[in-house]
DNA sequence: CAAGATTGAGTCGTCAATCTTA
DNA sequence: TAAGATTGACGACTCAATCTTG
């Protein structure tokens, strides 16, 4: 591949990703800030709806200190709560409240529908699977 | 496509994009902050190495006010300069200095080499072109 | 009045230092 | 000593208000 083709192709990845992400972000923003959704989404997918602060911070690519403040705001909004871990008293669990479960499930429902509209509709099933295959290879090859 | 497959496939896009972007970002960060590179890159690709503040702000997805301050820092570092536009005295051009040209060309050279290592090496030429095709369709279909 | 650019206030993130517990 | 969580100082962005020019 020529340098220019490489730049062009990766440029298309950046543009498409940015465009789709911006649309998804605008949708989520109507109910909550994007980082909140990232957090609540991982909690609702976890058995027991709870995770240690530090684990969750790493999953959403936040610093330890940054996540403490993010958690403060989410807790303040009533979507999550801190719970002391008795097995290891250094760790604090963060858990979903009923209000948190409710809002993230509603947001996820809209999110999925929009994703279908933005990705499946224009590409078709085969291309979506092809895209997944390529991206898996890319992810697994990136240290 | 099932919802679960859609979520999985888009999740792969997010993970791969994040992984590659993080690696590219770490590389650029050794010479300058990522937003600086975005700015200098667009300037060096423009005939005359200059663009109006507002146009450039939109290209790099910055607010007007945010870009003013970003430009302040880049100018302070000696990589760019403000130049008054005589045709329309409301606009300010931002132009590359020789130091700006030099650093962005060096950074771009490393950037391209790394992109080749991170994308072309694992995927191969055909998949890279296939990826470009898919992403172009996605971009053009996203309002 | 609209458009380009700047400023000040406020928000949200990182980093380094600190406290508690293993 | 190290690991988890928090805090305060700082940096960089957005937004709304302002100034200048068309």
């Amino acid at each position: 591949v020529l340098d220019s083709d490489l730049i062009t192709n990766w440029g298309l990845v950046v543009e498409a990703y940015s465009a789709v992400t911006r649309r998804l972000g605008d949708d989520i923003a109507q109910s909550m800030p994007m980082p909140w959704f990232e957090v609540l989404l991982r909690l609702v997918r976890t058995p027991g709806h709870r995770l240690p602060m530090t684990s969750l911070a790493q999953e959403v690519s936040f610093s330890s200190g940054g996540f403490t403040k993010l958690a403060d705001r989410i807790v303040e909004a009533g979507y999550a709560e801190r719970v002391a871990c008795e097995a290891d008293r250094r760790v604090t669990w963060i858990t979903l409240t009923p209000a948190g479960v409710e809002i993230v499930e509603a947001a996820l429902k809209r999110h999925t529908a929009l994703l279908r509209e933005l990705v499946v509709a224009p590409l078709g099933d085969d291309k979506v699977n092809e895209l997944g295959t390529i991206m898996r290879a890319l992810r697994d090859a990136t240290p």
Side-chain angles (χ1 to χ4, degrees), chain A:
Chain A
V1 211
L2 298 173
D3 267 5
S4 59
D5 291 337
L6 173 56
I7 300 281
T8 299
N9 281 322
W10 184 251
L12 288 167
V13 173
V14 172
E15 289 181 30
Y17 181 86
S18 303
V20 172
T21 298
R22 186 179 49 77
R23 288 291 308 274
L24 293 172
D26 288 350
D27 178 65
I28 292 297
Q30 299 183 356
S31 55
M32 72 186 88
M34 195 58 181
W36 297 27
F37 181 65
E38 301 282 351
V39 166
L40 299 184
L41 188 56
R42 280 162 177 84
L43 285 173
V44 80
R45 284 178 179 167
T46 304
H49 289 178
R50 63 177 196 180
L51 283 169
M53 296 276 290
T54 296
S55 312
L56 193 42
Q58 290 171 346
E59 281 197 44
V60 295
S61 301
F62 263 66
S63 66
S64 169
F67 190 78
T68 290
K69 297 163 188 173
L70 176 58
D72 287 345
R73 296 189 292 272
I74 297 176
V75 167
E76 170 67 28
Y79 299 145
E81 283 176 350
R82 285 183 169 86
V83 175
C85 173
E86 302 180 0
D88 183 339
R89 287 167 52 190
R90 291 174 302 180
V91 340
T92 302
W93 299 89
I94 179 142
T95 81
L96 284 178
T97 63
V101 174
E102 186 176 355
I103 195 173
V104 71
E105 284 181 345
L108 180 56
K109 195 169 175 180
R110 285 201 320 280
H111 191 73
T112 306
L114 184 54
L115 201 52
R116 189 172 287 280
E117 174 190 332
L118 292 174
V119 177
V120 180
L123 293 184
D125 290 11
D126 290 350
K127 296 274 187 183
V128 171
N129 288 321
E130 173 81 14
L131 177 60
T133 301
I134 292 175
M135 286 311 215
R136 185 191 305 277
L138 209 52
R139 181 200 62 179
D140 293 344
T142 307

